[in-house]
Amino acid sequence: MSDKSLMTLDEVLDAVNGVHILGAQDFYFDDVQTDSRNVKKNTLFVPLIGEFQDGHKYIPQAVKNGASVVFVAKKNYESDSKFFTDISNENPSVVFIAVDNTLYALQNAAEAYVEKFPGLIKIAVTGSSGKTTTKELIADVLRQKYNLISNEGNFNSETGLPLSVFKIRAEHEAGLFEMGMNRRNEIAEIAKVLKPKYAVITNIGTAHIGLLGSRQNIAEEKSNVFNYLGTDGVAVIPSQDDFCSFLKSKVKGKILCYGKNENPSIHDVTDLGIEGTSFYLNEEKIVLSVPGEYNFINCLAAITLAKELNLSDEQIACGINNHKSMFGRSQVIKGEYTIVQDCYNANPDSMIKSIEFISSVSSTSKKVLVLADMLELGEDSEAEHEKIGSFVNDLIAKNKVFGVVLIGKEMEAAFGAFDKSFVNDRAYYFSNKDDETVNAVTVLLKKLVSKGDIILFKGSRGMALERIVKLLSEVKQ
């Protein structure tokens, strides 16, 4: 079976600088997992060591579920070889490979695996916000021409990206992969795995500023996506971002800028409010169903890349016209109320953009905001939440929105920025995010809004605002 394995034993040992310590010579795997619960027959299981967990303790479960190959950290094997030997004696067909670091072994094996597909068109998408929406727009367009493989959802991290590239198969013509980060040098590490020829950056914002310290540091980290772009590579960069020039300076190959007024082929742009944006690409009429100018800008990135990859206007139009918003990303749910569920993630930039969009929608209906904590802002958290409060306070004063419900401990700073006359009349605050709060907010909203009114839900994923949406809309999430 070894000729059908994703990699041979020698290829794996060479890639990870590993040692075959236990198990039979017969070597085969057709899937890779880091969570033992997801392991099935013929899986390579990679136990990761985190701050609070050591995945090695789940090796018995992984083997029981069908793992055929297991990476083992050398220090774990040396400190308790009997643990692994006992498992091997009971499961002699399972191959155990000792490595210095299981995370780096996963990345290095994934890097070697990608190199088995030299003809694959390799594309990376990164940025502070809008990554997943942009990736999905690009995917919908490129599928009109190519057999495409793409990472699911935002499976884009130091582990998610390597696991995603192991889904590449011989029939795939293009690989589109989102890249995210939660620490310094993460983009550099996963860019090394993929080595993209095409790289798209959505923007340089304040997401993870608590971890990186400044937008300059964020820009430097995001620019690492260009590390493996040669002179034949292509960078797609937002022209209206104030780090545009910096990003350009990091590119050895071709630079394509996108943004409003960058492409004369795009004309007759009409903001349809909640319904999205309509425009023409030369003679082709396109309706982007995802609302907000920021999503239209994401769409321009997709068009710019697609034209570089020689897709026709008709193919591009077909892809965008058929695009549907993903869960929690500018998702419009229509029922008794019009709900904009934009609560998959949140940072100061994306929250301001969402609020600006709702406030700009032309409507005689009430507009109410439900805003929850923006997480991972570090020492900037209080100031950034206070800015959001001041911004919304001004919108209420100008009757651009009717009111706001703030949820979470970090949002206390935002609540403190409101005029006293608005407190508990147009602005409400709940410090917790438990089920009792969810029920209380739902009851409050039903008092505040009427049929046809517009409600925006925006907050970090950890705040789980969709619980309120479900109670309001009775739509299965």
Side-chain angles (χ1 to χ4, degrees), residues 295-307:
N295 282 316
F296 175 60
I297 300 299
N298 294 336
C299 182
L300 296 179
I303 292 171
T304 301
L305 177 64
K307 294 305 291 184

Side-chain angles (χ1 to χ4, degrees), residues 31 54-55 103 127 186 188 209 338 340 393 415 421 433 477:
D31 190 28
D54 186 338
L103 171 61
E186 189 167 359
I209 199 166
T338 297
V340 179
N393 182 80
F415 191 59
S421 61
K433 61 174 184 178
Q477 300 301 321

Side-chain angles (χ1 to χ4, degrees), residues 196-198 228-235 252-254 308:
K197 181 178 179 180
Y198 301 85
Y228 298 90
L229 259 65
T231 54
D232 63 340
V234 179
K252 297 175 185 175
K254 186 175 183 179
E308 178 65 18

Side-chain angles (χ1 to χ4, degrees), residues 72-115:
V72 176
K74 288 178 181 177
K75 65 176 183 180
N76 288 61
Y77 181 69
E78 290 166 359
S79 65
D80 189 5
S81 60
K82 184 178 184 301
F83 172 74
F84 302 99
T85 303
D86 288 347
I87 299 172
S88 180
N89 288 337
E90 293 180 10
N91 303 273
S93 64
V94 179
V95 175
F96 287 79
I97 297 174
V99 299
D100 291 327
N101 179 295
T102 54
L103 171 61
Y104 293 152
L106 170 65
Q107 293 175 350
N108 292 336
E111 177 185 357
Y113 181 70
V114 172
E115 290 171 357

Side-chain angles (χ1 to χ4, degrees), residues 142 273 303 324 471:
L142 294 189
I303 292 171
K324 305 296 181 186
L471 292 176

Side-chain angles (χ1 to χ4, degrees), residues 323-374:
H323 175 75
K324 305 296 181 186
S325 60
M326 296 180 66
F327 165 76
R329 293 180 170 89
S330 303
Q331 184 182 12
V332 178
I333 301 171
K334 291 190 175 181
E336 185 173 358
Y337 321 109
T338 297
I339 292 171
V340 179
Q341 185 173 235
D342 197 8
C343 54
Y344 195 87
N345 54 34
N347 57 64
D349 299 317
S350 65
M351 185 163 282
I352 288 289
K353 287 175 181 175
S354 294
I355 295 168
E356 283 180 334
F357 162 65
I358 292 296
S359 68
S360 69
V361 171
S362 178
S363 175
T364 56
S365 301
K366 277 185 201 168
K367 288 175 275 189
V368 173
L369 313 175
V370 180
L371 309 178
D373 286 354
M374 301 176 288

Side-chain angles (χ1 to χ4, degrees), residues 217-283:
N217 289 342
I218 292 170
E220 290 174 1
E221 177 63 24
K222 294 294 185 182
S223 71
N224 286 331
V225 75
F226 302 141
N227 286 358
Y228 298 90
L229 259 65
T231 54
D232 63 340
V234 179
V236 181
I237 295 172
S239 61
Q240 291 163 289
D241 195 284
D242 49 359
F243 280 89
C244 179
S245 295
F246 171 80
L247 294 173
K248 284 181 177 180
S249 73
K250 299 294 184 176
V251 180
K252 297 175 185 175
K254 186 175 183 179
I255 297 171
L256 299 174
C257 289
Y258 68 93
K260 290 190 296 184
N261 305 317
E262 285 288 338
N263 188 343
S265 300
I266 295 172
H267 57 94
D268 291 321
V269 179
T270 304
D271 184 353
L272 303 177
I274 291 291
E275 304 300 326
T277 306
S278 72
F279 61 97
Y280 281 84
L281 175 60
N282 291 316
E283 303 302 316

Side-chain angles (χ1 to χ4, degrees), residues 82-244:
K82 184 178 184 301
F83 172 74
F84 302 99
T85 303
D86 288 347
I87 299 172
S88 180
N89 288 337
E90 293 180 10
N91 303 273
S93 64
V94 179
V95 175
F96 287 79
I97 297 174
V99 299
D100 291 327
N101 179 295
T102 54
L103 171 61
Y104 293 152
L106 170 65
Q107 293 175 350
N108 292 336
E111 177 185 357
Y113 181 70
V114 172
E115 290 171 357
K116 292 165 72 74
F117 304 92
L120 187 74
I121 299 169
K122 297 181 293 185
I123 307 158
V125 178
T126 192
S128 293
S129 57
K131 294 184 294 297
T132 304
T133 298
T134 302
K135 181 204 71 181
E136 292 299 323
L137 278 163
I138 292 171
D140 284 339
V141 171
L142 294 189
R143 285 193 182 103
Q144 306 304 312
K145 180 175 181 178
Y146 297 107
N147 187 331
L148 181 79
I149 179 69
S150 179
N151 44 358
E152 298 176 3
N154 66 336
F155 224 53
N156 60 14
S157 65
E158 61 187 359
T159 57
L161 187 281
L163 292 176
S164 294
V165 302
F166 273 112
K167 304 294 185 184
I168 299 170
R169 297 294 182 265
E171 64 267 22
H172 293 130
E173 300 168 301
L176 170 65
F177 298 96
E178 177 183 334
M179 295 183 178
M181 66 174 188
N182 285 300
R183 58 173 175 81
R184 288 182 185 273
N185 211 44
E186 189 167 359
I187 295 293
E189 285 179 15
I190 57 182
K192 181 175 179 288
V193 171
L194 183 64
K195 297 184 178 66
K197 181 178 179 180
Y198 301 85
V200 180
I201 290 187
T202 58
N203 48 55
I204 303 300
T206 53
H208 305 306
I209 199 166
L211 301 170
L212 275 293
S214 69
R215 287 184 68 216
Q216 178 65 42
N217 289 342
I218 292 170
E220 290 174 1
E221 177 63 24
K222 294 294 185 182
S223 71
N224 286 331
V225 75
F226 302 141
N227 286 358
Y228 298 90
L229 259 65
T231 54
D232 63 340
V234 179
V236 181
I237 295 172
S239 61
Q240 291 163 289
D241 195 284
D242 49 359
F243 280 89
C244 179

